[in-house]
Amino acid sequence: MEIPDELLCVFSAQIEERNGAYHLTLPERELDNGVLDDDETYRVALLGSDSERTKTAATTSPQESTPEPTESHQHTSPPVEVGDRRTVEIEGIGEKGDGIARVERGYVIIVPDTEKRDRVTIEITKVSENVAFSEVVERKQYYE
């Protein structure tokens, strides 16, 4: 799936029905990162989970949505491989004090010896289905 430059964030959420309307909860981390503004209006795309392939992509304006091929919903492998290098921003700190970065589809990468908002180039050292581990190879200036 092509990821447009306009994409501001990616996260998973459950949709809840309340009083005849549907709601989804935006994770606080998306606002903490400074990417989103709680006073703005955003266009939202919904993609069915792997267990719900029968649902098609939708946007806040259903008449504008274009169903995507089923294979675009299949995320069977992590978006990184051992040896990959990426420049990432540390979004938070995990329970053990390591930095946490997120890449495509919200995939988590653990980055030791970093602090929130650090911008670093990392090399992936270990990959699992839900998380990857890395090491810092270069520290960047924030606006570099």
Side-chain angles (χ1 to χ4, degrees):
M1 168 190 312
E2 270 306 302
I3 298 177
D5 292 337
E6 304 86 34
L7 183 68
L8 299 175
C9 67
V10 175
F11 62 91
S12 295
Q14 296 289 325
I15 297 176
E16 300 171 1
E17 182 180 6
R18 286 188 237 144
N19 301 323
Y22 293 93
H23 299 265
L24 74 105
T25 302
L26 176 68
E28 185 177 351
R29 70 176 181 265
E30 300 303 334
L31 292 174
D32 286 347
N33 292 334
V35 173
L36 302 179
D37 181 358
D38 59 355
D39 293 327
E40 281 291 322
T41 300
Y42 295 94
R43 188 170 190 191
V44 176
L46 302 176
L47 303 174
S49 67
D50 288 342
S51 63
E52 300 175 19
R53 286 192 205 285
T54 57
K55 294 182 181 178
T56 59
T59 63
T60 53
S61 304
Q63 66 275 15
E64 295 177 11
S65 75
T66 303
E68 294 185 21
T70 303
E71 57 271 9
S72 71
H73 297 288
Q74 295 175 354
H75 301 299
T76 57
S77 62
V80 297
E81 295 179 359
V82 172
D84 284 357
R85 286 190 176 204
R86 300 274 185 109
T87 298
V88 297
E89 181 177 340
I90 304 304
E91 298 179 9
I93 302 298
E95 293 175 6
K96 296 182 181 180
D98 293 327
I100 297 174
R102 287 184 176 76
V103 293
E104 296 91 88
R105 304 185 317 265
Y107 186 82
V108 172
I109 300 177
I110 304 299
V111 187
D113 302 320
T114 55
E115 295 184 18
K116 189 172 181 177
R117 301 204 193 309
D118 281 357
R119 186 167 145 78
V120 293
T121 298
I122 57 171
E123 183 170 324
I124 304 299
T125 57
K126 182 178 178 184
V127 176
S128 70
E129 184 178 329
N130 298 320
V131 65
F133 297 86
S134 67
E135 59 185 33
V136 175
V137 293
E138 183 181 359
R139 296 185 184 275
K140 301 271 191 178
Q141 294 296 322
Y142 189 77
Y143 293 104
E144 194 173 307

